[in-house]
Amino acid sequence: MENVNVKQRVSVKEWLIENALVVVIILMVIYTAISANNFLNFHNLSNILSNVAVRYIIALGVSGCLIIKGTDLSAGRIVGITAVVTGTLLQRPDAAGVLYGNIAGTPIPVALVIAMVVGLLFGLINGLIIAYLKVPPFIATLGTQIAIFGLNQLYSRNSPIGSLNQSFTRFGTQGLKLGPVTIPWLAFVALVVGIVIFILYRKTVYGKNMYALGGNEVAAEVSGVNTNRTKILVFTVAGLLYGLAGFLLTAKTGSAAVTLGTGYELEAIAAATIGGVSTTGGVGTVPGILIGVLVFELLKTCLQFLGISPELTLVFQGAVIVIAVALDIRKTLRRK
């Protein structure tokens, strides 16, 4: 009996250590709710859901790259350039300061397709570089990150893009009203995307090959998995999701600029890792990613309501990223 109790205490201790970030942030949320009068209100809940929706879609894209034992440092820049492309397509033609008058006023569905195709193309480029040039994902996506930012500066002429289609911006800022609660339309989009990705990961050959590649690339190749094609598909799907996220981000902010999406890839990596996606590959679930994104967003919201300066908030976020990866590595070493 004593041995059983000791094992239980050890397992509880290990669980608390491995989930320390989640536990700390839950305690922070409770403290913030008690100390900040306006933290627990429906307007704040709606804002959190809107932020989570966009970041969840980005994290889903990044998660596939992590599961195959890679990463994607270009995610934020792909989101940024697709947001800018969306903005130029959906500017009102009669507004002052239209950047590209010949494409302004594009129908919203067409703009969505174009944004997602742009994201898909950049994801495809990442996949081809990694699969066929054998460049490590960290270096490959770091290079494309810089190149995409330069392209975005050229395309946007470093100008902010406003005066967008009002139906489009209303979609990004409004939602379904259920009594005093407003559930953003963006949250419904993210829910649908999450379901699709869940099915893709768990019920298709694509998902099976992705997890096999992340678990052991050599064994996957021996068992008949086309590893190069799988890598290309994973990064292409990621780019497609970034394109959708860029489109939704423009709707949410009501404008676009070259700086949109900056740092989003690091937040996505941290959120996915908090949610159980292993940086060593082969492990990760769609519901876990949602939890990770929600936890990371609650952290930022709590720091804001507690009056922490933006500069110090960045310090906390950086620490969370390092701790999340360190805890993930610790889990991996324990499994071995």
Side-chain angles (χ1 to χ4, degrees):
M1 182 65 71
E2 185 177 347
N3 289 336
V4 172
N5 290 334
V6 170
K7 287 181 180 178
Q8 287 177 341
R9 286 197 296 271
V10 171
S11 62
V12 170
K13 179 183 176 181
E14 289 295 335
W15 185 91
L16 287 173
I17 292 173
E18 292 179 355
N19 295 276
L21 278 177
V22 176
V23 173
V24 169
I25 292 170
I26 289 173
L27 293 175
M28 184 182 291
V29 169
I30 295 171
Y31 175 77
T32 307
I34 295 171
S35 59
N37 296 328
N38 56 346
F39 180 74
L40 290 178
N41 63 57
F42 295 122
H43 177 70
N44 189 39
L45 175 62
S46 181
N47 284 338
I48 290 173
L49 286 176
S50 292
N51 291 334
V52 166
V54 175
R55 286 164 172 78
Y56 179 48
I57 294 172
I58 300 170
L60 286 173
V62 169
S63 69
C65 306
L66 293 174
I67 288 170
I68 64 169
K69 211 177 293 186
T71 190
D72 191 349
L73 298 182
S74 67
R77 294 306 184 192
I78 297 177
V79 170
I81 197 168
T82 53
V84 166
V85 168
T86 300
T88 57
L89 292 170
L90 294 177
Q91 279 191 301
R92 299 195 302 274
D94 58 342
V98 173
L99 193 60
Y100 296 107
N102 57 328
I103 61 173
T106 300
I108 295 173
V110 176
L112 170 60
V113 171
I114 293 173
M116 293 182 70
V117 168
V118 170
L120 180 150
L121 289 174
F122 283 120
L124 176 61
I125 290 169
N126 280 336
L128 290 172
I129 293 170
I130 291 163
Y132 290 114
L133 298 184
K134 306 302 179 184
V135 179
F138 179 89
I139 301 299
T141 57
L142 176 61
T144 54
Q145 175 200 70
I146 297 168
I148 291 167
F149 185 53
L151 289 172
N152 201 3
Q153 288 179 311
L154 290 170
Y155 180 78
S156 68
R157 301 174 190 171
N158 286 318
S159 301
I161 300 162
S163 303
L164 304 185
N165 183 313
Q166 292 181 349
S167 298
F168 174 64
T169 54
R170 280 196 296 269
F171 172 78
T173 55
Q174 297 178 3
L176 177 65
K177 290 190 176 182
L178 298 174
V181 183
T182 299
I183 302 176
W185 297 122
L186 300 183
F188 290 105
V189 175
L191 177 62
V192 171
V193 172
I195 292 171
V196 171
I197 297 299
F198 177 84
I199 294 170
L200 190 66
Y201 280 12
R202 292 297 177 186
K203 306 295 181 180
T204 67
V205 174
Y206 169 92
K208 178 183 175 182
N209 290 346
M210 180 183 71
Y211 283 103
L213 175 59
N216 188 319
E217 183 171 350
V218 174
E221 194 163 11
V222 169
S223 64
V225 175
N226 188 325
T227 54
N228 282 342
R229 185 173 64 184
T230 301
K231 290 175 185 177
I232 292 169
L233 284 174
V234 166
F235 278 91
T236 301
V237 169
L240 191 71
L241 292 173
Y242 304 151
L244 174 60
F247 178 87
L248 297 177
L249 184 61
T250 306
K252 176 178 174 294
T253 57
S255 62
V258 72
T259 54
L260 268 184
T262 301
Y264 279 28
E265 66 281 346
L266 299 181
E267 290 186 17
I269 292 169
T273 305
I274 292 170
V277 178
S278 177
T279 55
T280 57
V283 177
T285 65
V286 170
I289 296 163
L290 177 58
I291 293 171
V293 173
L294 182 60
V295 165
F296 199 80
E297 189 60 34
L298 284 172
L299 167 69
K300 294 190 295 182
T301 305
C302 288
L303 292 174
Q304 179 184 349
F305 273 84
L306 292 173
I308 305 299
S309 68
E311 295 81 6
L312 197 55
T313 297
L314 290 175
V315 174
F316 278 108
Q317 290 180 28
V320 166
I321 291 170
V322 173
I323 294 169
V325 175
L327 290 174
D328 170 60
I329 292 172
R330 187 178 188 278
K331 291 179 188 176
T332 303
L333 292 174
R334 281 191 67 238
R335 286 197 295 267
K336 292 179 178 179

